Amino acid sequence: MLDPDIHYLNHGSFGACPEPVFDQMVQFQKELEWEPIDFLDKTILPRMAHARKTLAAYVNCPADDLVYFPNPTTAINMVARSLVLRPGDEILTTNHEYGAMDRTWRFIAEKHGAHYINHPIPLPVTTHEEFVETFWQGVTEKTKVIFLSHITSQTALIFPVKEICRRARQAGILTIIDGAHAPGQIPVDLADIQPDIYTGACHKWLCAPKGAAFLYASKEVQSWLEPLVVSWGYQSENPSDSQFIDYHQWQGTRDVSAFLSVPAAIQFQQDNQWQTVQYHCRELLISAREQLLEVTGLPPICPDRWDWFVQMAALRLPEVDIAKLKTWLYDQYRVEVPVYRWQGEPFLRVSIQAYNTAEDVSALVEGVAKLLKQLGG
């Protein structure tokens, strides 16, 4: 459904929904408007249960350990506001985290007198083993929470969260994993990772409609997670077998059609042999990365390995006016791609999805090369 005149290389930001999946969402919206009482009072609970069960099977966790949220930011805000932190407690993360999450944790830390620690992970990264050792150097006796991206937004790197979660369990440290970019891009097996809490977006790489994400919470932590919006699920007159679901599923009148459409997104990818699609996407991404590295003359930030990136890659740029480059690419080449600064350095992030072609990559490479040449970069 994307504008065919745009070379859309920014799937990582907001995804793109296939038309059959979008049509499913619209059908749910029509049913809601056709008979609101029947939809919201009589059929919503079994429909939501089906949507949770389907997604839970996809990420390998019990259906009652997962609840839908509109986005990972909202989900993490619920968790962060439920935490009991004391002055001096530390929340450990990296310097690669998503800006909205950094802001959330700084807000919570300041409120409780705790400390939000962005432990540096220098570039280039080499191996996951070295990452784990480097990150673990930030753990102290005051570390109460580890918050970590599964795939980072700014640097597009896959972090070894399973090993971090394993070490944290042994140390009695709570783990909260931000998997916004993971579902649909890499396999997510929550039974294998064993985090305390995990959130993921369905509207990014899984290609569900906008406003569909989830929060997983292990049974050991569910009891202290307070509802972000207190509604009928709290002290419910008709409680289910899961207080976790009761507290967090119902937040008053809202459009849940995006949540209900997630099974259609999962089915769409299964019907279209998505592992093969991902392989071809990565081949095109490797080509794009190689061409851009040749243009910039700068080294890559990670090895060319599946354990570091699959369908999204970030690259350093020479010193350049990032606003000018982004505008140039869009106005002159009709390329939609993120250009930004990370840790003071200019970066560009390329996403490759099923709809992208070599023509999209060529437009990007030509645009970057031409402007850098004009600027003497």
Side-chain angles (χ1 to χ4, degrees):
M1 297 173 66
L2 292 165
D3 184 345
D5 294 329
I6 300 295
H7 299 288
Y8 194 75
L9 294 165
N10 193 12
H11 188 93
S13 285
F14 300 108
C17 186
E19 192 166 6
V21 181
F22 185 83
D23 289 345
Q24 176 68 84
M25 179 188 70
V26 173
Q27 181 58 39
F28 283 127
Q29 291 175 329
K30 287 181 177 180
E31 290 183 33
L32 170 60
E33 296 305 322
W34 178 257
E35 219 319 354
I37 300 300
D38 182 72
F39 191 93
L40 292 175
D41 277 2
K42 300 177 183 178
T43 68
I44 191 64
L45 291 181
R47 285 179 167 184
M48 286 295 293
H50 171 70
R52 285 189 292 103
K53 182 178 180 180
T54 304
L55 179 57
Y58 182 78
V59 297
N60 195 22
C61 74
D64 283 350
D65 292 350
L66 177 151
V67 68
Y68 278 98
F69 274 84
N71 49 63
T73 300
T74 306
I76 292 298
N77 266 266
M78 181 275 285
V79 174
R81 290 172 180 271
S82 298
L83 283 169
V84 177
L85 295 170
R86 295 177 174 81
D89 286 349
E90 293 178 353
I91 305 152
L92 178 65
T93 188
T94 74
N95 59 337
H96 293 243
E97 304 308 317
Y98 185 52
M101 295 293 89
D102 279 337
R103 286 164 172 78
T104 297
W105 287 113
R106 287 200 298 265
F107 174 87
I108 295 298
E110 290 172 7
K111 184 176 181 180
H112 294 279
H115 302 289
Y116 181 55
I117 311 296
N118 294 97
H119 189 70
I121 302 294
L123 297 178
V125 291
T126 54
T127 66
H128 276 183
E129 291 76 15
E130 182 176 344
F131 172 93
V132 170
E133 296 306 322
T134 301
F135 179 75
W136 205 256
Q137 290 172 11
V139 174
T140 73
E141 61 182 12
K142 297 181 179 179
T143 304
K144 304 301 179 184
V145 178
I146 286 176
F147 172 74
L148 198 63
S149 289
H150 199 167
I151 302 178
T152 64
S153 176
Q154 300 288 76
T155 48
L157 297 171
I158 302 172
F159 283 170
V161 296
K162 177 182 175 180
E163 177 61 17
I164 295 297
C165 289
R166 187 190 69 80
R167 289 198 181 193
R169 280 195 304 276
Q170 292 179 342
I173 300 171
L174 182 77
T175 52
I176 303 173
I177 306 300
D178 178 1
H181 286 276
Q185 185 177 177
I186 62 174
V188 176
D189 186 336
L190 295 177
D192 184 51
I193 299 170
Q194 295 187 54
D196 291 306
I197 292 166
Y198 188 105
T199 183
C202 301
H203 53 229
K204 289 183 183 287
W205 296 93
L206 192 52
C207 298
K210 311 298 181 289
F214 70 90
L215 178 90
Y216 159 84
S218 66
K219 286 183 170 55
E220 291 76 18
V221 306
Q222 290 176 12
S223 62
W224 55 261
L225 291 173
E226 299 178 344
L228 193 61
V229 176
V230 178
S231 189
W232 290 99
Y234 180 73
Q235 297 179 347
S236 174
E237 296 173 358
N238 299 291
S240 71
D241 294 333
S242 170
Q243 177 180 286
F244 175 62
I245 300 300
D246 292 342
Y247 275 21
H248 304 286
Q249 179 165 263
W250 184 258
Q251 295 184 6
T253 304
R254 59 174 173 167
D255 183 358
V256 297
S257 58
F259 302 161
L260 300 181
S261 302
V262 169
I266 293 172
Q267 189 64 50
F268 178 86
Q269 294 196 348
Q270 291 174 346
D271 291 344
N272 287 278
Q273 294 80 47
W274 218 249
Q275 285 187 333
T276 301
V277 169
Q278 288 173 324
Y279 175 81
H280 292 301
C281 286
R282 190 171 192 278
E283 291 296 299
L284 183 56
L285 179 59
I286 290 172
S287 174
R289 196 173 90 135
E290 289 174 349
Q291 293 178 64
L292 288 166
L293 291 173
E294 184 175 350
V295 167
T296 65
L298 297 172
I301 68 170
C302 70
D304 179 10
R305 297 205 324 243
W306 282 83
D307 60 349
W308 280 118
F309 70 96
V310 177
Q311 289 179 250
M312 186 170 69
L315 301 99
R316 287 188 174 108
L317 293 170
E319 187 52 46
V320 67
D321 183 330
I322 58 173
K324 183 175 182 178
L325 176 57
K326 184 172 176 60
T327 300
W328 164 269
L329 288 171
Y330 192 83
D331 291 349
Q332 301 299 319
Y333 291 87
R334 309 304 285 164
V335 170
E336 183 69 74
V337 71
V339 185
Y340 52 93
R341 286 188 179 273
W342 179 78
Q343 302 294 302
E345 289 187 76
F347 269 75
L348 179 147
R349 190 188 73 190
V350 184
S351 296
I352 299 292
Q353 188 52 290
Y355 49 78
N356 289 122
T357 65
E359 183 183 356
D360 298 323
V361 171
S362 295
L364 170 64
V365 173
E366 182 181 341
V368 171
K370 193 163 186 177
L371 184 61
L372 291 182
K373 185 176 181 180
Q374 288 183 8
L375 298 175

